[in-house]
């Protein structure tokens, strides 16, 4: 019989700034514009810090899913908070009727801005 060995698939790595020192292999969440921190709530997780990082340092995070970009309409969207898909193919910062949570904003933005978000669906 043929056996398949488990392997790690490299999807996406991204650099984030960290306000506090963290150890490598810590699960992280978005915490502000291009910033990440240790989890507060399990549902916020976006990836794993690859190496130790000092306070105010930059660390590489292996994301669970590749990031995406979306058009904010209407705004605002705040980095570190959830973003929602809604009719018209845009993303918003507040859950609306028939909206669905798609991820966490990596950047803040106002109406018409294109922002990056970490996918959580």
């Amino acid at each position: 019989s043929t056996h398949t060995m488990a392997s790690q698939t490299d999807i996406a790595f991204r650099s984030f700034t960290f306000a506090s020192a963290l150890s490598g292999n810590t699960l992280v969440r978005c915490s502000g514009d291009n910033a990440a921190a240790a989890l507060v709530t399990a549902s916020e997780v976006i990836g794993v810090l690859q190496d130790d990082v000092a306070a105010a340092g930059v660390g590489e995070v292996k994301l669970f899913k590749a990031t995406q970009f979306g058009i904010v309409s209407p705004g605002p969207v705040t980095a570190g908070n959830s973003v929602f898909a809604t009719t018209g193919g845009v993303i918003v910062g507040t859950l609306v009727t028939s909206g669905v949570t798609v991820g966490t904003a990596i950047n803040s933005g106002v109406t018409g801005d294109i922002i990056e978000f970490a996918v959580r669906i």
Side-chain angles (χ1 to χ4, degrees), residues 33 71-84 91-94 104-111 115-117:
D33 279 299
I71 302 169
V72 177
S73 184
V77 166
T78 303
N81 291 347
S82 294
V83 292
F84 309 90
I91 57 174
V92 295
T94 304
T104 304
I106 293 175
N107 313 116
S108 295
V110 296
T111 303
I115 66 158
E116 185 178 13
F117 62 93

Side-chain angles (χ1 to χ4, degrees), residues 35-56:
L39 286 186
V40 174
T41 304
S43 65
E44 298 176 322
V45 67
I46 62 162
V48 179
L49 178 62
Q50 296 299 287
D51 296 298
D52 295 353
V53 65

Side-chain angles (χ1 to χ4, degrees), residues 12-16 34-35 59-63 67 106-107 116:
F13 291 86
R14 192 179 188 293
S15 297
F16 290 91
N34 300 302
E60 281 293 304
V61 173
K62 180 175 182 183
L63 301 169
T67 63
I106 293 175
N107 313 116
E116 185 178 13

